[in-house]
Amino acid sequence: MKRTILIYGIALAALVFILKYLEYRFFVRDVSLEFYIGLLAVFFTGLGIWTGLRLTRTQVITIGPEFALNEIELGRLGISKREHEVLELIAKGLSNREIADKLFVSLNTVKTHSSNLFLKLEVSRRTQAVQKAKELRLIP
Amino acid sequence: MKRTILIYGIALAALVFILKYLEYRFFVRDVSLEFYIGLLAVFFTGLGIWTGLRLTRTQVITIGPEFALNEIELGRLGISKREHEVLELIAKGLSNREIADKLFVSLNTVKTHSSNLFLKLEVSRRTQAVQKAKELRLIP
DNA sequence: CGAATAATCATCCTTTCGGGTGACGGAATT
DNA sequence: AATTCCGTCACCCGAAAGGATGATTATTCG
């Protein structure tokens, strides 16, 4: 999001510079205001649509094994980084004990994370969680 | 989101200041041009985002690779029909109890099948069994 | 600063799994 | 007929997983 805004600002600034440059370079001092307005309207409408597409839940049509993490869904379900890590390890077939050791946390912590995961994914077993997470493209 | 809008506004304000600075720097004749540019940018960006949101309705078309059951591996591991059925239901995230009900057999039977499965697949947990079975293309 | 969130850990209790063993009838094979 | 395999079921026990709740700390946000 911050990157988007940054790109946006830079694009805006660059556009102004280009316009100014052209204006002075070619002494086109009498470029009509309507022309500017039209140009800007088109440009920023396009940019706006692009941003809109960024913001919306854009489902990527995947053909084959390429995995694109569905961050929108992740955010929608409110799954945190740590929970996502646990989810990945669950999908790998690790037990809670093994996950705890791998993440250097206690067994209880892993159980808490997984419980929260089940709530957010609306499932009650880890196998279901894995299945649903794959459907939602939260994990490869 | 509110924060985003706030940052956005601040960025825009900063941009206007920059533009004002440039205005004096390059002795721009039209004083209010940049202001109009900024205004137009905001307006048409909003319009673009609105249009983008309007236009994009999510449609998920997943074209996955068709599943070909690996019967050779099935035979090699000596997995019976019934065991394979249980394996599929395990992969669907069902509990042993649910599998038993679905197959009209007792819980103990399902447990026997799953235990035999784990031996044949050389795993110790159902999540691992699902993982391995997918790798070996025993299930979709 | 106060509120909210994320991450951590704990305790208690119930359910589910997994492992081991044994048994029995039916079908196919030898 | 004897053997082997499959499917079925049972009992036992310990380990793992799941559910509920509360507490602490750190960071972030308003």
Side-chain angles (χ1 to χ4, degrees):
Chain A
M1 183 48 71
K2 287 174 182 171
R3 202 192 57 219
T4 304
I5 294 171
L6 187 67
I7 292 173
Y8 206 97
I10 290 172
L12 189 58
L15 188 68
V16 172
F17 271 117
I18 290 168
L19 288 174
K20 279 292 151 193
Y21 175 72
L22 290 173
E23 192 174 326
Y24 282 97
R25 183 86 150 79
F26 300 107
F27 299 99
V28 202
R29 307 194 67 89
D30 55 347
V31 173
S32 70
L33 189 60
E34 285 79 10
F35 177 71
Y36 275 118
I37 292 173
L39 207 65
L40 286 168
V42 171
F43 181 74
F44 282 103
T45 302
L47 205 58
I49 290 175
W50 179 77
T51 318
L53 291 178
R54 290 272 129 191
L55 290 173
T56 357
R57 37 167 56 199
T58 310
Q59 287 286 352
V60 183
I61 302 168
T62 50
I63 304 170
E66 311 93 34
F67 170 68
L69 194 143
N70 190 343
E71 295 185 55
I72 297 98
E73 203 66 19
L74 260 186
R76 201 178 68 78
L77 298 175
I79 293 175
S80 69
K81 280 181 290 293
R82 207 55 162 168
E83 286 164 353
H84 188 250
E85 279 186 86
V86 172
L87 178 57
E88 284 177 325
L89 295 176
I90 285 178
K92 278 189 180 178
L94 303 193
S95 68
N96 287 340
R97 179 73 266 167
E98 291 167 335
I99 294 171
D101 291 344
K102 178 156 283 189
L103 297 182
F104 301 106
V105 295
S106 86
L107 176 60
N108 292 306
T109 303
V110 176
K111 291 179 68 173
T112 304
H113 284 321
S114 60
S115 283
N116 291 333
L117 266 172
F118 299 154
L119 283 178
K120 290 170 181 177
L121 290 174
E122 295 175 293
V123 296
S124 52
R125 275 181 292 281
R126 47 176 57 222
T127 43
Q128 292 179 336
V130 171
Q131 212 210 352
K132 190 147 189 178
K134 293 207 175 200
E135 279 175 12
L136 298 177
R137 307 240 158 234
L138 304 180
I139 50 175
Chain B
M1 184 48 76
K2 287 174 182 173
R3 198 192 61 221
T4 304
I5 294 171
L6 187 67
I7 292 173
Y8 204 95
I10 292 171
L12 205 62
L15 190 67
V16 172
F17 273 115
I18 292 168
L19 289 172
K20 278 292 157 194
Y21 172 72
L22 289 173
E23 189 177 320
Y24 285 103
R25 182 82 196 245
F26 294 106
F27 302 103
V28 181
R29 84 197 139 90
D30 193 354
V31 179
S32 57
L33 182 60
E34 285 78 11
F35 179 70
Y36 278 121
I37 289 174
L39 214 61
L40 284 168
V42 171
F43 180 73
F44 281 103
T45 300
L47 197 65
I49 290 176
W50 182 79
T51 320
L53 292 177
R54 249 344 82 191
L55 289 175
T56 46
R57 277 302 87 192
T58 320
Q59 54 171 354
V60 192
I61 306 168
T62 35
I63 305 164
E66 73 286 356
F67 169 68
L69 195 142
N70 190 344
E71 296 185 53
I72 297 99
E73 202 67 18
L74 259 186
R76 201 179 68 77
L77 298 175
I79 293 175
S80 71
K81 278 182 292 292
R82 207 55 164 168
E83 286 164 354
H84 188 249
E85 280 186 87
V86 172
L87 178 56
E88 285 178 323
L89 295 177
I90 285 178
K92 278 190 181 177
L94 303 193
S95 69
N96 288 341
R97 179 73 266 168
E98 290 166 335
I99 294 172
D101 291 343
K102 180 157 281 190
L103 297 182
F104 300 106
V105 294
S106 86
L107 175 60
N108 291 308
T109 304
V110 175
K111 289 181 67 175
T112 304
H113 285 321
S114 62
S115 283
N116 291 333
L117 266 172
F118 298 155
L119 284 177
K120 290 170 181 175
L121 289 173
E122 295 175 294
V123 297
S124 52
R125 272 181 294 280
R126 47 178 55 220
T127 42
Q128 292 178 337
V130 171
Q131 214 207 352
K132 190 150 190 176
K134 293 208 176 200
E135 280 176 10
L136 298 176
R137 308 235 157 241
L138 304 180
I139 50 175

